[in-house]
Amino acid sequence: MCGIVGYIGDEQAAPILLNGLTKLEYRGYDSAGIAVFDGSEIRMEKVSGRLQRLKEATDNGKALPGMVGIGHTRWATHGCPSDTNAHPHFNKEHSIIVVHNGIIENFTKLKLHLENRGYQFVSETDTEVLAHLLDYYYKRTRNPLAALTKVMQKVEGSYALGILFRDHPDSIYSARKDSPLIVGQSERGNFIASDVPAILQYTREVFYMENEEIAVLTRDDIKFYNVDEEPVEKTATHIEWDVNAAEKGGYEHFLLKEIYEQPRAIRDTVNPRIKDGQIEIEELQMTDEEIKGIDKIMIVACGSAYHTGVMAKYVFEGMARVPVEVDLASEYRYRDPIFGRNTLVIVVSQSGETADSLAALRESQAHGQKVLGIVNVVGSSIAREADSVMYTWAGPEISVATTKAYSAQLAAFYLLALKFGRVRKTISDSDYEAYISDLQKLPEQMEEILKDRQPIQRFANRYLAAEHIFFIGRGIDYAISLEGSLKLKEISYIHSEAYAAGELKHGTISLIEDGTLVVAVATQEKLYPKTVSNIVEVKTRGAFVMALTNEDNKDIEKVSDFTFYIPKTNRYFAGSLAVLPLQLFAYYVSLGRGLDVDKPRNLAKSVTVE
Ligand code: F6R
């Protein structure tokens, strides 16, 4: 959601900005722009649509010479996607230029205040208010830092900012609050960016900006300040992961590459946390006594991360006998939740920047609750603000639709539930051993499924024109159905719903007609006969059924039209295997419909607004 890149150094800025913005495309955007200081003037180009248009408009950056610049990809919130609403935004004299990620919540009030003082607005955006407000204070102080801190005190909402002042051609000013921003340092110059992949090609030394911090970058130096203009000392983090991790590596799409990286993601998340046959999660920072004392777990997240929570409820309650509540972060933050005497709140997030999840974390802490973050992006806001953080080692996930981070989140939950079950003595020693062995086998079993993706591709090609697809299952199979349905709708744009199989007959079954595709997930032995009955119910109404089960249940072929078998594991982990064919199905439907698999319309990878 909105991407920012800035560069000041020895090289031409525009190609670096365009390259960095390309690396941030995964975040989702609908317009783009760059501004470069050419020595005397700040020149700018901005267009609606894809970055390719900006590259053409600037002759791949050559048309905007200069070694200082800022760039932006915009995901529209205030005002439609258009050339005018694209960033950068500027004051009347084009002497202060701003790119912004976030939302200025009190922009209407500020705009009125500025209009009353003669300022004229050209765009519909909330960001433009920042350019004029900076102008207002700069004209009074003649000091960019003072002007910026004044603006930070006046605005409400979230922001990551990159700013050029024409009077200070040797500096980039930046600041952040509740929207991600990093600062990169290299021999050949310094950078700002929304995320590491944008600058990884140039540097691995990165500073994570904290809320209400300011960075002033020159060619050779980076200075940090707080909102009182006091200097702040920061240490750089060395980024370990490889640049190839953020490239397609021979796959046609990031999504396919990331689906295939899932076995590795599980190994990296699980194996370091199993020592001598015992699960050790040092990051948890909880004694056995504290684990025994937990009377309730609350899992809070959005989208697919929320679906891992729905699954974790079955796993935790089954293995560790702790009651679990699962909430959508956007609901939780306003529902005034009731905490137990010893509640553990778990916030799950790939990006670690999702605004609703971050707000839920803060809401929990404000009520005195300890929060455990399950997070993929190292150094992200949720990782830093949680009381303890358990990283999922999925590596950078670029495709907007999550796959490997989702699977790694499930694996993290399995580890936690097993650890809790062991400590609370709700699973026997032999079961504990068997579960650990199953967990370590999962990557291999995933590889087996991924070996041959053709049957799923062929099946998907038959459903490219479908208008509605239903996913059904019970228990953990319902949790997987939720994820299968979301994957499909977000990248194929086909309407789809996931239903607890037993619930269909309470209304939704009226939508089933001749040829409607129903994907039935039936991995849970105890529930298998029940799900088969539900399959028969939809078949009777003309549905075409794709079933997902394991080899023991060959009789399912009698009631389904296409069956995909997954290897056998225990009931809790079956979802991790069943999700793979569903991800591949969504991928091939999207591909067959000629859609942008990695960057589906209207979506952003990191949802940093409410
Ligand atoms: C779906 C998807 C989203 C995210 C959701 C939460 O494929 O990617 O539903 O799961 O936006 O994002 P994070 O995990 O970054 O908090």
Side-chain angles (χ1 to χ4, degrees):
M1 191 162 270
C2 294
I4 289 179
V5 187
Y7 171 73
I8 178 162
D10 299 338
E11 315 277 343
Q12 287 297 315
I16 293 177
L17 301 178
L18 290 171
N19 185 30
L21 292 177
T22 306
K23 299 278 167 24
L24 295 180
E25 272 192 300
Y26 72 89
R27 295 171 69 82
Y29 71 102
D30 41 48
S31 55
I34 55 174
V36 178
F37 210 113
D38 73 1
S40 54
E41 288 301 318
I42 302 172
R43 295 169 58 206
M44 176 164 48
E45 191 66 63
K46 44 190 201 160
V47 298
S48 58
R50 290 291 173 199
L51 263 177
Q52 190 51 33
R53 288 195 63 212
L54 184 62
K55 289 179 184 166
E56 282 158 16
T58 59
D59 189 13
N60 282 318
K62 289 193 207 86
L64 294 183
M67 295 177 208
V68 186
I70 50 179
H72 188 267
T73 43
R74 172 174 186 253
W75 190 86
T77 55
H78 295 61
C80 62
S82 69
D83 294 1
T84 312
N85 288 335
H87 297 212
H89 289 282
F90 40 83
N91 63 344
K92 190 167 150 213
E93 295 86 14
H94 286 214
S95 57
I96 299 176
I97 313 281
V98 183
V99 291
H100 165 223
N101 172 13
I103 290 182
I104 304 303
E105 286 167 2
N106 58 341
F107 92 100
T108 319
K109 193 171 127 210
L110 292 171
K111 187 171 173 179
L112 196 65
H113 167 87
L114 288 161
E115 280 173 339
N116 287 340
R117 280 156 185 78
Y119 283 88
Q120 284 173 356
F121 284 72
V122 293
S123 78
E124 304 157 274
T125 65
D126 53 331
T127 301
E128 193 181 350
V129 92
L130 294 171
H132 295 307
L133 203 58
L134 279 164
D135 176 275
Y136 179 82
Y137 287 116
Y138 182 68
K139 285 190 172 135
R140 271 150 195 82
T141 58
R142 289 282 146 203
N143 177 337
L145 188 59
L148 178 54
T149 53
K150 272 276 185 212
V151 168
M152 288 164 71
Q153 285 156 19
K154 291 284 169 196
V155 299
E156 288 162 18
S158 56
Y159 53 80
L161 299 174
I163 310 161
L164 299 179
F165 288 85
R166 192 176 56 197
D167 294 351
H168 298 267
D170 52 359
S171 305
I172 295 178
Y173 287 79
S174 69
R176 82 156 272 197
K177 179 174 166 270
D178 292 342
S179 286
L181 194 69
I182 56 163
V183 175
Q185 185 174 41
S186 85
E187 292 285 301
R188 310 280 297 161
N190 296 319
F191 304 81
I192 54 169
S194 299
D195 200 357
V196 175
I199 56 171
L200 196 56
Q201 185 178 336
Y202 311 104
T203 181
R204 288 175 171 278
E205 303 310 310
V206 161
F207 298 91
Y208 289 98
M209 303 250 315
E210 298 292 339
N211 267 347
E212 303 204 315
E213 270 182 3
I214 297 163
V216 182
L217 286 68
T218 57
R219 188 249 163 267
D220 301 310
D221 197 18
I222 302 167
K223 287 201 161 46
F224 296 98
Y225 300 92
N226 63 20
V227 78
D228 296 320
E229 294 179 48
E230 292 161 345
V232 173
E233 284 301 319
K234 289 181 81 71
T235 354
T237 303
H238 183 77
I239 301 296
E240 299 287 351
W241 42 273
D242 202 81
V243 76
N244 292 332
E247 304 288 349
K248 277 190 211 149
Y251 285 90
E252 200 178 340
H253 294 100
F254 280 111
L255 188 72
L256 193 60
K257 175 185 172 242
E258 288 161 5
I259 288 174
Y260 274 77
E261 283 175 341
Q262 292 179 102
R264 202 264 312 132
I266 304 292
R267 281 192 187 101
D268 289 356
T269 303
V270 167
N271 290 354
R273 291 170 172 131
I274 300 180
K275 290 178 191 131
D276 301 327
Q278 299 296 320
I279 292 170
E280 286 181 23
I281 312 172
E282 280 153 23
E283 316 92 293
L284 191 57
Q285 294 171 23
M286 282 174 87
T287 62
D288 285 0
E289 283 319 302
E290 284 168 328
I291 292 177
K292 280 184 200 151
I294 295 289
D295 57 6
K296 181 175 177 184
I297 294 176
M298 293 169 101
I299 302 174
V300 192
C302 303
S304 294
Y306 166 77
H307 295 161
T308 68
V310 176
M311 167 87 87
K313 176 177 167 70
Y314 295 104
V315 182
F316 263 116
E317 291 186 345
M319 285 187 179
R321 307 304 297 150
V322 197
V324 177
E325 274 179 29
V326 192
D327 270 272
L328 291 163
S330 51
E331 292 293 314
Y332 174 92
R333 60 187 291 190
Y334 297 116
R335 87 165 164 88
D336 200 5
I338 301 167
F339 302 99
R341 282 160 58 103
N342 270 315
T343 301
L344 173 66
V345 178
I346 306 181
V347 174
V348 194
S349 176
Q350 186 287 127
S351 62
E353 299 294 348
T354 302
D356 284 320
S357 305
L358 186 56
L361 177 153
R362 290 177 183 160
E363 176 70 15
S364 312
Q365 287 175 333
H367 283 85
Q369 301 301 312
K370 287 261 180 286
V371 177
L372 166 68
I374 296 183
V375 180
N376 195 43
V377 176
V378 176
S380 56
S381 301
I382 294 176
R384 281 177 293 133
E385 293 192 29
D387 298 281
S388 53
V389 58
M390 183 172 174
Y391 281 113
T392 48
W393 297 113
E397 194 177 62
I398 307 296
S399 192
V400 166
T402 183
T403 50
K404 61 175 180 170
Y406 166 87
S407 286
Q409 285 160 1
L410 287 184
F413 273 127
Y414 300 156
L415 286 166
L416 282 169
L418 276 169
K419 169 90 189 160
F420 274 48
R422 171 74 161 180
V423 172
R424 296 162 70 95
K425 300 201 186 330
T426 47
I427 39 180
S428 66
D429 288 356
S430 58
D431 280 353
Y432 179 73
E433 264 173 46
Y435 285 135
I436 289 183
S437 153
D438 285 351
L439 185 52
Q440 292 190 298
K441 267 191 228 140
L442 273 183
E444 231 170 90
Q445 293 178 312
M446 290 176 132
E447 276 155 2
E448 201 182 315
I449 296 173
L450 293 171
K451 234 186 257 162
D452 184 11
R453 50 187 204 253
Q454 272 189 12
I456 293 285
Q457 180 171 17
R458 277 198 296 271
F459 182 73
N461 283 339
R462 292 167 63 181
Y463 278 90
L464 302 182
E467 283 181 18
H468 312 280
I469 298 181
F470 292 86
F471 289 73
I472 60 169
R474 287 167 177 258
I476 279 180
D477 290 335
Y478 168 56
I480 286 302
S481 300
L482 288 170
E483 179 58 9
S485 169
L486 179 63
K487 277 297 81 90
L488 180 79
K489 63 187 143 197
E490 65 180 327
I491 62 172
S492 77
Y493 315 155
I494 293 176
H495 167 250
S496 155
E497 285 186 41
Y499 255 80
E503 179 65 14
L504 265 187
K505 57 186 169 294
H506 297 288
T508 309
I509 201 161
S510 65
L511 294 172
I512 306 293
E513 50 189 18
D514 248 4
T516 306
L517 176 60
V518 175
V519 179
V521 189
T523 67
Q524 303 292 300
E525 283 326 295
K526 224 169 92 189
L527 298 167
Y528 178 74
K530 307 277 171 204
T531 307
V532 168
S533 302
N534 300 132
I535 294 177
V536 174
E537 283 161 15
V538 293
K539 279 258 12 124
T540 315
R541 276 129 190 119
F544 191 92
V545 174
M546 167 183 168
L548 264 182
T549 187
N550 62 57
E551 296 275 351
D552 286 357
N553 300 325
K554 288 245 182 214
D555 61 333
I556 206 164
E557 290 181 21
K558 292 192 200 124
V559 293
S560 65
D561 301 280
F562 172 80
T563 308
F564 191 93
Y565 293 106
I566 56 166
K568 216 165 173 239
T569 179
N570 70 71
R571 62 188 155 136
Y572 295 117
F573 303 163
S576 284
L577 300 177
V579 79
L580 302 187
L582 300 182
Q583 293 167 341
L584 284 171
F585 176 64
Y587 171 74
Y588 281 117
V589 173
S590 174
L591 192 69
R593 285 164 68 95
L595 301 173
D596 192 342
V597 175
D598 284 331
K599 295 186 287 284
R601 70 182 179 203
N602 304 340
L603 293 178
K605 182 69 182 162
S606 176
V607 186
T608 50
V609 294
E610 189 174 340

